[in-house]
Amino acid sequence: MKKIKTIARF
Amino acid sequence: MIHKYIFRDEYIVMDINSGAVHVVDPVVYDALDYISGSDYSHDQVRKALEGRYSAEDIDEALYEINELISQEMLFTEDEVDRKLFDEKQPVVKAMCLHVAHDCNMNCAYCFGDKGAFEGIRCLMSAETGKRAIDFLIENSGSRHNLEVDFFGGEPLMNFDVVKELVEYGREQEKIHGKNIRFTITTNGVLLNQEKIDYIDENMVNVILSIDGRPEVNDRMRKTVNGRGTYDIITKNYKNFIKKRQDRQYYVRGTFTRYNLDFADDVKHLLDQGFANVSVEPVVTSEQFDYSLRDSDTDAILGEYDRLSDMYIDYAMHGMPFRFFHFNVDLNQGPCVIKRVSGCGAGTEYVAISPEGDIYPCHQFVGNKLFLLGNIFDDKFENRLFDTFNQAHIYNKKDCSECWARFYCSGGCHANAYHTNGDIMKPYRLGCAMERKRLECAIGIQAYLAEHLQEGV
């Protein structure tokens, strides 16, 4: 189970 | 640099220099207390977290953190080329036309001296307005898209000139290969059906001023005869949005110390059928009872939390609305130059008085210290270009150390000047509000991404 979800990626 | 905070049940981590935003588990959130870059001690983190999390969870968290660091999405370096600002050439792409230095209202908090802007009450002539459009085109360099905003005072008091200038702009844009986008701000008193039809057809964005609940609006926004305006303008605005449908407009209010419960004003405006809402803090001298003080900070920030709850509640029930400060484009948004340099006041944005005087921004109009020239002068040499061009986030000490710098872009020069007497010293309460609004805006997106598909 991943512990980090990236919701945005200047 | 990172910034982390908890919004409802979401643990949010922002990587400031890349713009990446992550929603993380508590173990990652806590591990980041002991990490400030790629060269941290795994053993130290494990030791700090043992007892709170299993060894397996801690190792997984550190593995994922390392992955993000290697992918340049955590603890990234600031790689913006500072020379871009030193080499910037003076070009004007946006202009605020003060077509009326007069007003049919007498709002207590008006920064425009009830329409007069520290001068005489007057209207802009068509000749001056046309010269202003010529001035914009002449100084726009290779920019194709130009912005012209009709402002005042109350621009509807000079509506024939507004129409003449739109027609003139349409002629000139064809001749010069430009695209002019017209916008207007109005207090709504004179907004009859004829004007509604014209504005709807010709303005890409429309700002309709109203503060919210009747008693809140009428306490501050009165006619020159001292009567409240709520009933008149609400009727006119409802007629406007009937015509406008879902194309761009905002009802925009000002909140003061008298309505620190401004989320209720947003709700009231939504209940009237307005789907695009903005309420903005009054910025004025503390000599006025209604001014916001540092001591109000907790109440204001708490109210943004309440507004966030309302925003989520409406979205979860299939009734989303738009709140100006909660619209953050996390996946793209403005280019990095704009993020660093901000609104463009005094460099690529100017305001023009009815007499043709040029100022860095609509909020500086009338202050002779900021007079840049006149559109009828032979040549425009912006004597304050360097001052405003160098007023970017890397040159403002407070901004250079702030996690919100690439979103707020240094804040409002006028607010800085009016509160601290220096455009390089940001308005402290404004900074606190902006940081809070950003946390809410990003938190809302994280929360809705997680919960919206689950349903209410």
Side-chain angles (χ1 to χ4, degrees):
Chain A
M1 182 78 175
K2 277 183 74 71
K3 297 186 179 310
I4 301 177
K5 187 163 76 175
T6 297
I7 62 169
R9 47 175 310 177
F10 286 163
Chain B
M1 183 183 197
I2 64 168
H3 174 65
K4 65 192 188 90
Y5 65 100
I6 300 171
F7 179 87
R8 290 191 160 202
D9 56 355
E10 306 290 347
Y11 292 73
I12 295 171
V13 177
M14 301 169 61
D15 183 53
I16 302 312
N17 290 324
S18 73
V21 180
H22 314 284
V23 179
V24 305
D25 282 1
V27 60
V28 174
Y29 191 87
D30 288 343
L32 288 169
D33 284 337
Y34 307 96
I35 300 173
S36 58
S38 56
D39 58 345
Y40 65 92
S41 159
H42 287 218
D43 289 342
Q44 208 169 30
V45 179
R46 283 193 195 98
K47 197 169 180 183
L49 296 181
E50 69 184 3
R52 281 191 278 169
Y53 302 101
S54 71
E56 185 186 11
D57 274 351
I58 296 169
D59 285 345
E60 278 181 23
L62 295 180
Y63 173 79
E64 291 189 35
I65 287 170
N66 291 343
E67 285 278 285
L68 287 181
I69 292 173
S70 68
Q71 292 168 9
E72 296 194 337
M73 288 198 283
L74 206 59
F75 299 112
T76 48
E77 297 296 321
D78 185 345
E79 296 178 0
V80 173
D81 183 355
R82 314 292 162 88
K83 280 190 304 196
L84 288 169
F85 306 96
D86 297 333
E87 296 165 355
K88 201 170 176 183
Q89 297 301 307
V91 168
V92 181
K93 76 160 186 167
M95 180 172 71
C96 181
L97 277 184
H98 285 224
V99 290
H101 271 191
D102 199 356
C103 192
N104 46 10
M105 284 178 59
N106 188 26
C107 303
Y109 47 52
C110 181
F111 69 77
D113 183 30
K114 316 292 193 285
F117 284 84
E118 313 298 336
I120 55 167
R121 292 181 181 274
C122 59
L123 303 178
M124 180 179 280
S125 69
E127 178 200 17
T128 299
K130 288 175 181 176
R131 173 63 201 131
I133 288 173
D134 292 343
F135 166 87
L136 173 64
I137 291 171
E138 287 164 12
N139 288 281
S140 63
S142 62
R143 307 294 179 88
H144 175 66
N145 293 296
L146 307 177
E147 314 275 355
V148 173
D149 181 55
F150 295 109
F151 197 55
E154 173 49 41
L156 298 194
M157 293 177 74
N158 198 11
F159 200 62
D160 286 344
V161 165
V162 168
K163 291 196 288 190
E164 198 169 336
L165 295 181
V166 170
E167 187 180 349
Y168 183 74
R170 293 284 170 252
E171 290 169 6
Q172 294 303 307
E173 67 181 1
K174 287 192 186 80
I175 294 168
H176 297 280
K178 304 286 184 181
N179 176 40
I180 299 177
R181 297 179 289 203
F182 292 101
T183 55
I184 194 166
T185 296
T186 177
N187 64 29
V189 172
L190 297 175
L191 191 63
N192 60 22
Q193 194 59 48
E194 180 197 354
K195 293 187 177 78
I196 286 171
D197 291 343
Y198 185 86
I199 287 171
D200 179 55
E201 187 177 343
N202 290 283
M203 306 291 165
V204 300
N205 193 25
V206 182
I207 307 300
L208 308 166
S209 299
I210 179 172
D211 283 353
R213 291 162 290 179
E215 66 276 18
V216 169
N217 182 84
D218 287 352
R219 184 170 187 174
M220 304 301 279
R221 303 185 65 80
K222 300 175 190 292
T223 66
V224 288
N225 297 323
R227 291 168 46 212
T229 55
Y230 178 88
D231 290 341
I232 306 168
I233 63 177
T234 305
K235 177 170 68 73
N236 293 345
Y237 292 164
K238 285 180 177 176
N239 286 336
F240 177 78
I241 62 165
K242 200 181 296 176
K243 174 84 177 180
R244 191 68 167 179
Q245 301 290 315
D246 58 356
R247 288 180 303 115
Q248 196 166 19
Y249 74 89
Y250 272 99
V251 289
R252 183 220 181 267
T254 297
F255 74 83
T256 72
R257 204 160 199 242
Y258 297 154
N259 63 318
L260 295 177
D261 57 350
F262 55 85
D264 287 345
D265 292 296
V266 173
K267 184 173 188 320
H268 177 81
L269 292 168
L270 295 172
D271 290 345
Q272 306 313 302
F274 305 119
N276 305 312
V277 181
S278 155
V279 291
E280 305 296 335
V282 71
V283 180
T284 190
S285 163
E286 285 198 9
Q287 67 179 293
F288 298 110
D289 281 350
Y290 55 79
S291 67
L292 301 173
R293 328 280 164 85
D294 284 344
S295 58
D296 298 322
T297 304
D298 288 348
I300 295 168
L301 303 193
E303 196 64 7
Y304 281 119
D305 279 330
R306 209 159 73 89
L307 187 54
S308 301
D309 289 345
M310 196 169 90
Y311 191 97
I312 287 171
D313 188 46
Y314 272 64
M316 295 292 283
H317 285 85
M319 301 182 295
F321 64 91
R322 184 175 293 178
F323 179 66
F324 180 57
H325 287 293
F326 289 170
N327 293 335
V328 174
D329 180 353
L330 289 181
N331 286 309
Q332 193 62 282
C335 64
V336 73
I337 303 296
K338 202 69 177 169
R339 289 183 185 277
V340 172
S341 59
C343 69
T347 56
E348 52 191 18
Y349 171 74
V350 293
I352 311 295
S353 77
E355 301 90 345
D357 287 340
I358 307 165
Y359 291 92
C361 155
H362 54 283
Q363 294 222 27
F364 286 111
V365 170
N367 183 338
K368 298 300 182 191
L369 292 173
F370 288 90
L371 179 62
L372 303 178
N374 189 284
I375 55 174
F376 291 102
D377 294 343
D378 290 339
K379 192 177 180 193
F380 176 50
E381 291 183 352
N382 183 350
R383 66 185 177 85
L384 293 178
F385 178 82
D386 287 341
T387 301
F388 280 92
N389 190 42
Q390 291 299 320
H392 56 67
I393 60 172
Y394 295 119
N395 285 341
K396 294 180 181 176
K397 186 174 183 302
D398 292 350
C399 300
S400 65
E401 298 165 354
C402 175
W403 65 263
R405 60 182 180 267
F406 287 120
Y407 294 94
C408 120
S409 310
C412 173
H413 296 312
N415 286 354
Y417 178 76
H418 291 131
T419 55
N420 296 319
D422 185 347
I423 67 169
M424 299 299 283
K425 292 181 181 166
Y427 167 43
R428 186 173 50 187
L429 178 55
C431 294
M433 288 188 276
E434 176 64 0
R435 283 192 289 263
K436 180 64 179 180
R437 291 186 301 233
L438 277 168
E439 286 189 342
C440 292
I442 292 168
I444 285 168
Q445 290 197 35
Y447 185 89
L448 290 178
E450 188 74 22
H451 295 270
L452 204 50
Q453 62 267 46
E454 296 169 3
V456 180

